[in-house]
Amino acid sequence: METYDRIRVLWPDHLGLARGKYLPIRYADKGAYHCMALFALGYDREMTPAPGTRMLEGLPDLHASFDLEQVRAGWEPNTGVAVADISFRGEPVEMSSRHALRRAVAAWEELGYRPKVGIELEAYILQPDGAGGWSPWETPGGYVYGTGTAVDPIGLLDEIMREAADADLPIESINSEYDIPQFELTLHYDDALKACDEAFLFKVLAREVAARHGLMLTFLGKPLGDRGGSGLHVNVSFEDVNGHNALNDETAEDGLSKLAHQAIGGMIAHHRGMTALLAPTVNAYKRLRPGQLSGYWNNWGYDHRGTTVRISPERGPGLRLEHRMADGAANLHLAAATVLQAARLGVEGDLTPPPAETQDCLESTDATEHCPDSLRLALDALEADTELIEALGPGLVEHFVVIKRAEWERFASAVTDWELSEYLPFH
């Protein structure tokens, strides 16, 4: 391990936020303690006594621990970074998304496969609007799949790439996206837990680099009403005992193995139940709409961006299943765990997916079922999917639903600017 003055210990909470502490290096081996009632918090900092939070039991501490050998270079001077496991009195915290991902990995390993994950992120860059809010970053001359000063006039993305390289966070590519100023940031695939840890750290790094310049880099699903949404695409593949990609079958007409079709079948079967976990905010459902290439329809297709499960055009080692429903406000570890568990349930249930999508998904679709249209309905669908709940962990899901129902109620009772603009002049 390199020499650092301090260690920044981080771990993902139920909202996907990076909780943690700075520890002087001389105390780092002890880990860190945090109040368990962090899991009772919503975005508004109000506390809900959800199951597992122990909010009404004295607000005891959980323990965040990490291996000193796994400390990596950070993006702050003389500061190493570690992603911690969290436990309570020696047992994993049941609401921990990182623990949920470990469970998903272990379940696949029991079947004889090693799950691999690759994360694609989309994000907008915003600038202060002078009135206390945020507006789109001005990038004159920006265009789709652009690079250089036309889309990045101050070299912000260059700086993010350099910082990520120094922190050994493996970026595969960065480019501007369809809408301006939106960017796609793709990380290299790896073992599931490692890939999600790195994507989790990368999100923190990227936002903090943007903040140095007075800008906000946001992964929110639909931050701008007049532009497209931002997705979090979870790419998965499975390595067999011989190190080969188990999704691949050179003898099959489409190049996909039986395991691949079963995994697709599982994602299709649990489409509605997965939605709340992958789209966990009220805002997410402004993105999940027909014709938005966002994972709305319960379908799959060969190299088809209008489907929820897109089969990559590569065959052999590069073949992967790309799940396109989630957005960047989702908890990364929980999103990956959800996709992996749904796929596994398809394998264990020997499920067969419907025929691949043949329509354009812009004006017409073969699919007739779609995801729920609001967070409230998505939570209903999750509670109805008992098989997925058991796979992810009943304690985690019960806690998630209580916290998110409270979030929905806050939204439902809020008076919006739109309502006042629409109705106030007339009533």
Side-chain angles (χ1 to χ4, degrees):
M1 185 180 76
E2 295 185 37
T3 301
Y4 304 106
D5 293 338
R6 61 181 185 172
I7 306 298
R8 188 178 182 182
V9 184
L10 298 172
W11 51 271
D13 75 350
H14 56 299
L15 303 173
L17 303 181
R19 305 286 183 178
K21 290 186 178 182
Y22 290 105
L23 300 178
I25 190 64
R26 63 183 178 276
Y27 298 128
D29 61 337
K30 298 178 181 179
Y33 290 89
H34 301 81
C35 179
M36 176 74 91
L38 283 171
F39 281 96
L41 293 172
Y43 290 107
D44 64 345
R45 301 193 186 190
E46 291 296 318
M47 298 176 71
T48 300
T53 63
R54 302 184 182 270
M55 174 182 161
L56 303 179
E57 300 175 29
L59 290 79
D61 276 346
L62 59 80
H63 184 233
S65 60
F66 58 95
D67 185 345
L68 283 171
E69 296 301 317
Q70 299 301 313
V71 173
R72 60 195 305 143
W75 49 96
E76 299 166 289
N78 302 314
T79 303
V81 177
V83 183
D85 285 313
I86 55 173
S87 60
F88 179 72
R89 296 175 184 170
E91 296 295 327
V93 173
E94 60 184 345
M95 300 90 71
S96 165
S97 58
R98 202 162 182 260
H99 176 58
L101 181 53
R102 286 189 187 277
R103 281 169 52 100
V105 170
W108 270 99
E109 288 177 342
E110 287 182 9
L111 297 178
Y113 302 99
R114 188 174 188 174
K116 302 284 188 177
V117 167
I119 298 293
E120 297 176 67
L121 293 159
E122 293 171 338
Y124 278 95
I125 299 175
L126 308 179
Q127 64 186 26
D129 65 2
W134 297 90
S135 61
W137 190 33
E138 294 179 5
T139 56
Y143 53 91
V144 187
Y145 287 163
T147 57
T149 56
V151 297
D152 181 12
I154 66 170
L156 175 63
L157 280 303
D158 294 339
E159 187 175 342
I160 289 173
M161 290 189 77
R162 287 194 300 271
E163 294 277 11
D166 291 344
D168 197 25
L169 297 175
I171 291 179
E172 193 167 279
S173 64
I174 291 181
N175 56 269
S176 66
E177 255 293 349
Y178 183 82
D179 284 295
I180 304 299
Q182 186 186 40
F183 294 85
E184 183 179 65
L185 309 104
T186 302
L187 284 84
H188 189 66
Y189 83 97
D190 212 318
D191 290 341
L193 184 63
K194 185 173 186 288
C196 288
D197 281 351
E198 290 177 341
F200 166 72
L201 292 176
F202 174 75
K203 285 181 65 180
V204 178
L205 178 154
R207 282 175 58 85
E208 292 184 356
V209 172
R212 294 175 191 167
H213 297 272
L215 301 170
M216 176 186 288
L217 189 150
T218 176
F219 297 97
L220 189 66
K222 187 79 168 179
L224 301 171
D226 63 346
R227 305 178 199 202
S230 293
L232 161 64
H233 300 162
V234 181
N235 295 267
V236 298
S237 61
F238 306 97
E239 190 177 271
D240 65 20
V241 293
N242 298 314
H244 299 144
N245 187 344
L247 298 177
N248 198 63
D249 183 354
E250 295 178 0
T251 67
E253 183 177 354
D254 63 357
L256 302 185
S257 66
K258 179 180 180 181
L259 180 108
H261 283 277
Q262 291 170 327
I264 296 166
M267 295 178 192
I268 296 295
H270 295 282
H271 180 79
R272 290 179 61 81
M274 298 166 70
T275 304
L277 298 159
L278 302 180
T281 68
V282 170
N283 175 263
Y285 298 83
K286 307 292 176 65
R287 168 181 169 268
L288 290 177
R289 306 299 302 162
Q292 296 299 302
L293 311 183
S294 61
Y296 179 77
W297 294 107
N298 190 9
N299 56 2
W300 69 282
Y302 299 103
D303 196 15
H304 194 327
R305 286 181 169 82
T307 61
T308 294
V309 183
R310 173 178 175 255
I311 312 305
S312 68
E314 300 95 329
R315 294 298 180 264
L319 175 59
R320 61 196 179 277
L321 310 180
E322 177 188 352
H323 200 280
R324 297 171 56 83
M325 180 191 288
D327 70 40
N331 180 308
L332 271 164
H333 294 79
L334 185 54
T338 300
V339 173
L340 289 174
Q341 291 286 24
R344 178 185 64 84
L345 293 172
V347 173
E348 293 190 345
D350 191 19
L351 300 185
T352 301
E357 180 68 54
T358 63
Q359 302 299 313
D360 56 43
C361 293
L362 295 172
E363 298 180 348
S364 59
T365 61
D366 296 326
T368 57
E369 184 182 60
H370 56 76
C371 69
D373 286 326
S374 71
L375 179 60
R376 180 180 67 82
L377 295 175
L379 292 169
D380 292 343
L382 172 58
E383 288 186 301
D385 194 335
T386 56
E387 192 177 26
L388 184 62
I389 289 172
E390 187 61 32
L392 287 166
L396 180 149
V397 175
E398 184 182 12
H399 168 268
F400 177 89
V401 169
V402 170
I403 292 293
K404 290 297 172 177
R405 291 251 186 240
E407 188 174 318
W408 173 262
E409 289 304 320
R410 292 197 301 276
F411 165 72
S413 63
V415 177
T416 66
D417 290 343
W418 183 90
E419 293 169 90
L420 296 179
S421 174
E422 185 80 1
Y423 306 124
L424 197 60
F426 308 105
H427 298 287

